[in-house]
Amino acid sequence: MASSGSGYDLSSSTFSPDGRIFQIEYASKAVENAGTALGVKCRDGVVLCVEKPLLNKMLLPNSSRRIHTVDTHSGVAITGFVSDGRQIINRAREEAASYEETYGTKIPPSTLGDRLAAYTHYFTLHGSLRPFGTSTLIASYDPETKEHSLQMVEPSGVSYQYFGCAAGKGRQPAKTELEKLVINKPNAEENITVREGVKQLARIIHALHDEGKDKPFELEMSWLCEESGWVHKGVPRDYIKEAVEWAKKDIEEAEGGESDE
């Protein structure tokens, strides 16, 4: 069976003999080469975090944002090809506005996730199109059910709900670190808060960053929680700065403890 493209990677509508669609795998590879994006569902909300590489010293901070507000109660973080992600963000805003205009209520998180997944999947079905080279993390709150959720849509168009998820170059080690957090207890009161979530995500990003190999980066974070009135907002800069300082100190202490042993 074919283990490489060898003619089967010319179109996203062509399966290889061993059942693979190489164009989708290439799109996933584009995501793996981009900055790490993390999301965590806490007991009182959802936190999104993206490592945004600073490719040039002359770049203005906060330009080319990776986290965007889709609707009052929904926010999206992207990693991969930023220009591809922008199309998905625009589609998400159109879906949210259309749903509210049609039904007179905010779009439910599951509906928003399903529609974005269907839109992403559509671009894997036709030879004249190419898959999106981006993964999308969706933080949403449903005013009707009073529940919040975290979803991720991958380049293949598959979508799942998560307690914690990661995409980008640090996906695997980040998933390992996320699994150590207290975020999936049956009793929600035992899970961490969004403020603790901000600290932990900052710690994971800085722990995975290799200053010798990786480019300098800017940390972009947002939350959707009780503290923000269930409105998707950026985490205050002062608190991000405080979380980064705590993260660096915690990493140094952990490394110091390992060297002592």
Side-chain angles (χ1 to χ4, degrees), residues 174-247:
K175 282 172 66 179
T176 302
E177 292 297 319
L178 285 170
E179 288 169 1
K180 297 177 184 177
L181 301 181
V182 184
I183 53 177
N184 59 350
K185 295 288 185 181
N187 181 7
E189 293 302 315
E190 297 178 19
N191 295 326
I192 63 174
T193 63
V194 289
R195 284 192 165 264
E196 180 64 20
V198 168
K199 288 183 176 181
Q200 294 296 340
L201 294 189
R203 181 186 62 79
I204 292 172
I205 292 289
H206 279 275
L208 297 179
H209 184 74
D210 187 340
E211 293 186 4
K213 297 179 181 179
D214 300 332
K215 289 182 171 63
F217 71 94
E218 179 185 358
L219 203 61
E220 227 178 290
M221 305 186 86
S222 71
W223 59 17
L224 175 71
C225 56
E226 290 179 7
E227 189 171 330
S228 69
W230 294 113
V231 174
H232 181 254
K233 293 180 178 179
V235 177
R237 295 190 181 280
D238 291 343
Y239 191 65
I240 293 179
K241 185 178 178 181
E242 182 183 324
V244 169
E245 290 173 356
W246 175 89

Side-chain angles (χ1 to χ4, degrees), residues 2-3 9 36 40-41 63 71 77 104 110 124 133-134 161 177 200 212-213 219 224 232:
S3 58
D9 60 353
T36 306
V40 63
K41 180 183 176 184
S63 62
D71 198 2
S110 59
T124 70
T134 186
Q161 291 193 28
E177 292 297 319
Q200 294 296 340
K213 297 179 181 179
L219 203 61
L224 175 71
H232 181 254

Side-chain angles (χ1 to χ4, degrees), residues 56-85:
N56 190 317
K57 291 181 180 179
M58 301 302 291
L59 278 176
L60 196 67
N62 305 320
S63 62
S64 186
R65 289 164 49 221
R66 305 293 199 275
I67 299 179
H68 300 259
T69 296
V70 168
D71 198 2
T72 311
H73 304 299
S74 301
V76 165
I78 57 171
T79 187
F81 284 172
V82 179
S83 50
D84 281 11

Side-chain angles (χ1 to χ4, degrees), residues 35-129:
T36 306
L38 305 174
V40 63
K41 180 183 176 184
C42 307
R43 74 181 184 218
D44 57 344
V46 182
V47 182
L48 298 176
C49 173
V50 180
E51 171 197 12
K52 183 172 74 176
L54 298 176
L55 305 177
N56 190 317
K57 291 181 180 179
M58 301 302 291
L59 278 176
L60 196 67
N62 305 320
S63 62
S64 186
R65 289 164 49 221
R66 305 293 199 275
I67 299 179
H68 300 259
T69 296
V70 168
D71 198 2
T72 311
H73 304 299
S74 301
V76 165
I78 57 171
T79 187
F81 284 172
V82 179
S83 50
D84 281 11
R86 195 161 53 236
Q87 299 305 314
I88 294 179
I89 290 162
N90 289 338
R91 179 68 177 204
R93 287 172 175 162
E94 289 172 6
E95 291 288 358
S98 173
Y99 190 95
E100 186 170 8
E101 183 180 345
T102 303
Y103 300 104
T105 185
K106 295 294 183 183
I107 187 168
S110 59
T111 303
L112 178 61
D114 289 345
R115 290 189 178 184
L116 286 187
Y119 179 68
T120 303
H121 180 237
Y122 180 82
F123 280 74
T124 70
L125 298 175
H126 299 274
S128 58
L129 304 173

